Amino acid sequence: MTWQTKLNSALGRYAGVRFERVRKAAPPPESTVRPPADPATDRLLTEPVFILSPVRSGSTLLRAMLDAHPLLHAPHELHVRRLSVGFGTPLARKAMEALGHNQADLEHLLWDRVLHRELVRSGKRHIVDKTPANSFAYQRIATCWPDARFVFLLRHPASIATSWYEAGPDKRTRAEAAADALRYMKAVQRAQKGLTGLTVRYESLTADPERETRAICEFLSIPWAPEMLDYGQPGVIRKGLGDWQDKIRSGTVQPGRDLPAPEEIPEILKPMCRSWGYL
C-alpha cells in the first residue's frame, strides 16, 4: 500500500472525505461536415446567394444595390457560420445521433432556419449574405447549401488596405491593415478556385453600375431592375455590420477612389495585385 493510499484511507475514516482521481472526459467524436441527407426536407432555403469578398471591397454598396431589387433580400452582415449548437449531455447527443444528426448537421439546420426566417419576413424570393468572413468557410457553406450561388467581389488590393486602415486608424497601422486585409484576399482567391461563381470588380461596379448589375441578374436568372441604380437609404446601416459611411448613406453609386500608382502599392500586396490583374 502506498503512502497516498494510506493517507486517503485515514482521511476517509477520520474526516469522512476521500480524494479521487479526476478522469478526463472522452473528447466528442469529430463532427463530419456533410451535405443535407434529404435536401427537400432538411433545407428551407432555395438558392441562397453569398457575396464572397475581402473587407472594404464595396460589399455593402453591392448589398444595398441588390436589396433594392424586388426579388432579392440582402440584409446586413449575418455571420451565421458563427452560430453553433451543443448537446449538453451525452444522452442528448445519443438521441440526435439516433435521428441521424451530428453537430454539424444541427448547425446547418440552425443556419438555414435563421436565414429562411429573415427571407420570409422580407417577402422576397432569394436571400443574399455578404459577410466577408464567409470566405474563410466557403467549403462549409457550399456543403450546407449545395444549390448556393456565389458572387466574388474584387477590388484593387492597395485600395482595400487603405480603406481598411482609414476605417480604424486607432486599431491598426497601415502595414497591419495591409497584412490583415491580405488574409481575406487569399481566402477569396481560394474560394474562387474551389467554387463556381460570378466575379465582379468594385471599380467596374462604380464605373458602370448598370452593366455590372445586369450581369449579376443574368447570373442569378432574374430580370434586371432599374431600382438597383438608385437604391435609396439602405435598410440597415450599423457600425460593425458593414460600411456605415457617407458614400453608402447617399443612396446612389459614388465614384471609386483613384487607383494607386505601382510605386504606392505595399510590397506585401504586389503578388495579389498581379494575380488579380491590377499590375
Side-chain angles (χ1 to χ4, degrees):
M1 181 181 293
T2 65
W3 69 267
Q4 294 99 330
T5 304
K6 292 179 180 179
L7 176 60
N8 207 25
S9 179
L11 285 171
R13 288 196 306 270
Y14 299 111
V17 296
R18 293 176 64 88
F19 292 110
E20 292 187 3
R21 185 184 298 274
V22 177
R23 296 181 179 179
K24 293 183 178 180
E30 184 177 351
S31 190
T32 302
V33 176
R34 54 196 179 187
D38 183 358
T41 301
D42 295 345
R43 296 293 178 269
L44 298 175
L45 279 181
T46 301
E47 297 184 321
V49 181
F50 293 90
I51 300 172
L52 300 184
S53 68
V55 292
R56 311 303 299 181
S57 58
S59 60
T60 300
L61 170 63
L62 182 54
R63 173 190 81 77
M65 297 173 76
L66 296 181
D67 191 54
H69 195 289
L71 299 180
L72 301 175
H73 178 48
H76 59 73
E77 296 173 9
L78 298 174
H79 298 272
V80 291
R81 78 177 185 92
R82 293 298 190 184
L83 301 179
S84 61
V85 301
F87 292 103
T89 66
L91 189 58
R93 180 186 295 275
K94 185 176 181 180
M96 291 299 100
E97 288 175 348
L99 294 179
H101 304 311
N102 64 22
Q103 182 172 341
D105 296 334
L106 295 175
E107 288 173 348
H108 290 173
L109 290 172
L110 172 62
W111 300 355
D112 184 73
R113 182 66 180 88
V114 170
L115 292 186
H116 183 262
R117 178 182 184 273
E118 179 63 22
L119 178 62
V120 170
R121 285 163 58 89
S122 74
K124 295 187 176 183
R125 184 182 299 175
H126 299 292
I127 196 161
V128 180
D129 184 10
K130 52 80 68 180
T131 307
N134 281 344
S135 299
F136 294 103
Y138 74 89
Q139 292 172 310
R140 177 112 188 238
I141 290 172
T143 301
C144 178
W145 292 284
D147 63 344
R149 293 174 292 178
F150 298 93
V151 176
F152 309 107
L153 179 62
L154 309 185
R155 187 182 184 184
H156 193 298
S159 297
I160 291 175
T162 298
S163 182
W164 190 223
Y165 167 74
E166 292 173 351
D170 56 331
K171 297 178 180 178
R172 56 188 78 90
T173 65
R174 289 187 180 274
E176 290 170 341
D180 191 32
L182 184 59
R183 294 190 307 111
Y184 286 86
M185 298 177 211
K186 290 180 176 179
V188 172
Q189 190 173 55
R190 290 192 294 269
Q192 277 186 293
K193 293 178 179 178
L195 300 171
T196 299
L198 175 70
T199 296
V200 177
R201 293 179 184 269
Y202 170 78
E203 295 83 5
S204 300
L205 182 66
T206 54
D208 194 342
E210 180 174 342
R211 182 188 64 194
E212 296 303 309
T213 52
R214 283 185 179 277
I216 294 171
C217 289
E218 182 179 357
F219 172 69
L220 299 179
S221 299
I222 58 176
W224 181 73
E227 303 97 293
M228 302 171 75
L229 303 184
D230 190 12
Y231 56 83
Q233 182 69 34
V236 176
I237 294 290
R238 186 173 302 166
K239 187 173 182 179
L241 295 176
D243 192 347
W244 65 95
Q245 298 179 352
D246 291 342
K247 278 190 175 182
I248 297 298
R249 294 176 184 273
S250 69
T252 58
V253 181
Q254 302 294 308
R257 70 173 74 213
D258 293 336
L259 296 184
E263 62 272 15
E264 297 175 320
I265 301 173
E267 286 296 325
I268 192 176
L269 297 179
K270 286 184 177 179
M272 187 60 70
C273 288
R274 295 188 187 98
S275 179
W276 283 0
Y278 288 101
L279 266 181

